[in-house]
Amino acid sequence: MSADLLLVSNHDTEQWAEDGFPARALRSSDEVREAFAATSRRRNPVLWIADHPEQVVPLAAEAPLVVTNNRLLLLNEAERFQRELLQIVFRIVLAPGEGVHLPELDEMKDILAAPNREDLLVGGSTDPVNQLVLLYRGNLQPVVVPYAWFSRRAAAPRPDFRDFEITDYGQTVRLGKYEASVDAVLYAHDPEYRRKARARMVEEDASFGGALRRLRLLKGVARSDFPDLSEKQIARIERGEIKKPHASTVTAIAQRLGVEPSEIESY
Amino acid sequence: MEEERVEGQIRDDERVEPPHVTILHKTRAWRLALRTGMFLDRVPPPREVPPELEDLVWQKRKQLRRKWDEMYPENPVFSQEDER
């Protein structure tokens, strides 16, 4: 049972608790109020899961106006006013509807129960006006990815941002016929995920050249696509023949790849 | 289709280096290198992949390598086929 995962249970999710879902189950409105009072000042995020907004909306009437780290995942849609109330009480609220997609309930249960749930996705939406995809990890941490990131590979099908879905138990982002692994998305957008992912590898080329090669390929950039550097120079750096490239070379590489020079070695 | 998903996938966006196929099972994933046939990550433990599933994926390595090369022409598996 996890202290940072609370399940406001009703008859639909009661079975989750019986199946060993690793959350503390709150079975009455008193338990909900007490748990909120106990967690509202905690520094570490607490993830609340509720089936229906009515189970948690009453908190808005009595909650002190403090900035909490509580996050709420609603499994069913909320009315606009309910959502606004809940956004007063919870730092992050994720609920289906209004363009937000959540995985199927069976998959959602397994994602939330997984020990690595922060590396899986529990929802998201696309924003055609700002050309952004907003994704939520299993701890409800948001990740914002520009449309352009999904469209950078010439050999891949064109992403259809109107047809968005989280599949494979939170491990794949599907946009029409195009699919991206969540591992690749997080590796590209979260330095901490990158550090953990590299630590999990059996072996890797930990040199500057190895990191440059991984970053370049992740960005879909050819060796010949560096304006001020030759293909041969990039190849020599990647092969480790130039172990410490000049600072101006590193800056030029970083500029082309859209990262800070100091970030290159984190890939 | 569902069976193919369990056997191993190459999605349109993967971490590109090194070339690999991903065995997905519910919330877990194992990356198997297409160059060497070795698992790339310690976690989740490779020993938890059923050997018959690993063998099934590896038996399809020629198709998977071809697919990888089509999808990621900038980082092909290699120019010649190898044997494990």
Side-chain angles (χ1 to χ4, degrees):
Chain A
M1 184 178 297
S2 166
D4 58 5
L5 201 57
L6 298 173
L7 175 66
V8 185
S9 100
N10 66 0
H11 67 277
D12 288 334
T13 50
E14 187 59 31
Q15 188 62 40
W16 290 24
E18 287 174 21
D19 290 346
F21 186 74
R24 183 178 153 208
L26 307 174
R27 294 191 168 83
S28 68
S29 50
D30 282 347
E31 285 187 357
V32 168
R33 274 198 304 272
E34 284 163 19
F36 189 82
T39 57
S40 61
R41 291 183 187 276
R42 274 182 50 175
R43 183 172 294 179
N44 292 334
V46 177
L47 176 57
W48 290 61
I49 304 159
D51 213 9
H52 293 282
E54 294 79 9
Q55 295 174 289
V56 278
V57 160
L59 289 171
E62 52 190 88
L65 289 177
V66 295
V67 179
T68 78
N69 237 339
N70 285 329
R71 300 168 178 188
L72 174 66
L73 171 60
L74 277 176
L75 301 175
N76 286 286
E77 288 189 31
E79 304 284 343
R80 183 180 293 272
F81 186 63
Q82 291 175 318
R83 195 187 290 256
E84 283 179 15
L85 285 173
L86 291 169
Q87 280 165 347
I88 296 170
V89 180
F90 293 91
R91 177 176 286 237
I92 298 171
V93 177
L94 176 64
E98 297 189 356
V100 174
H101 168 83
L102 267 52
E104 297 292 323
L105 196 58
D106 281 354
E107 291 199 8
M108 180 68 94
K109 179 183 159 196
D110 283 358
I111 295 167
L112 293 168
N116 62 329
R117 65 174 176 270
E118 72 271 19
D119 298 337
L120 306 167
L121 298 183
V122 290
S125 58
T126 60
D127 173 5
V129 176
N130 296 298
Q131 306 252 303
L132 296 171
V133 178
L134 173 57
L135 303 168
Y136 287 91
R137 299 165 76 164
N139 55 2
L140 292 203
Q141 190 67 36
V143 181
V144 179
V145 184
Y147 276 16
W149 189 84
F150 294 103
S151 309
R152 70 199 191 290
R153 292 196 184 286
R158 200 175 173 77
D160 179 354
F161 295 96
R162 295 162 307 177
D163 182 15
F164 165 73
E165 197 181 16
I166 305 290
T167 62
D168 295 327
Y169 289 80
Q171 299 200 75
T172 301
V173 175
R174 188 184 64 73
L175 296 160
K177 289 182 178 170
Y178 162 96
E179 291 184 324
S181 78
V182 170
D183 172 57
V185 174
L186 296 179
Y187 195 88
H189 294 92
D190 176 6
E192 178 58 19
Y193 180 87
R194 236 171 9 245
R195 192 190 60 74
K196 286 194 305 181
R198 287 182 63 174
R200 281 197 299 263
M201 287 186 73
V202 174
E203 58 182 46
E204 64 155 357
D205 178 357
S207 68
F208 180 87
L212 170 58
R213 179 178 167 79
R214 286 189 292 272
L215 171 59
R216 179 178 64 76
L217 291 168
L218 190 72
K219 298 273 182 179
V221 174
R223 282 175 176 159
S224 54
D225 282 345
F226 290 80
D228 301 323
L229 299 159
S230 70
E231 196 173 336
K232 197 173 169 184
Q233 261 180 299
I234 297 293
R236 290 188 66 211
I237 295 169
E238 288 187 353
R239 285 198 298 263
E241 291 168 18
I242 301 173
K243 289 197 186 332
K244 285 191 177 173
H246 195 273
S248 61
T249 304
V250 176
T251 302
I253 290 171
Q255 208 161 16
R256 174 64 185 90
L257 296 174
V259 298
E260 292 297 319
S262 59
E263 274 186 284
I264 295 175
E265 283 185 282
S266 75
Y267 283 82
Chain B
M1 188 67 190
E2 190 57 30
E3 196 176 320
E4 280 177 11
R5 283 193 170 268
V6 175
E7 282 176 14
Q9 284 191 53
I10 302 172
R11 288 160 291 185
D12 303 299
D13 241 308
E14 299 275 2
R15 262 194 277 167
V16 181
E17 173 64 20
H20 62 275
V21 56
T22 308
I23 298 172
L24 291 167
H25 182 249
K26 294 198 169 183
T27 58
R28 303 203 297 169
W30 292 267
R31 298 187 308 145
L32 185 72
L34 286 169
R35 288 180 180 140
T36 61
M38 305 298 286
F39 283 101
L40 290 170
D41 305 299
R42 291 186 192 89
V43 182
R47 65 175 181 276
E48 292 176 9
V49 178
E52 58 276 18
L53 180 58
E54 185 186 341
D55 288 346
L56 194 64
V57 172
W58 191 246
Q59 279 166 20
K60 293 189 172 179
R61 63 190 181 280
K62 284 191 179 175
Q63 294 148 263
L64 291 165
R65 285 170 176 166
R66 204 175 307 125
K67 189 176 174 189
W68 178 277
D69 287 354
E70 284 168 14
M71 296 172 79
Y72 297 100
E74 71 278 19
N75 191 37
V77 177
F78 34 55
S79 54
Q80 58 199 35
E81 294 288 335
D82 77 339
E83 289 303 320
R84 199 174 187 179

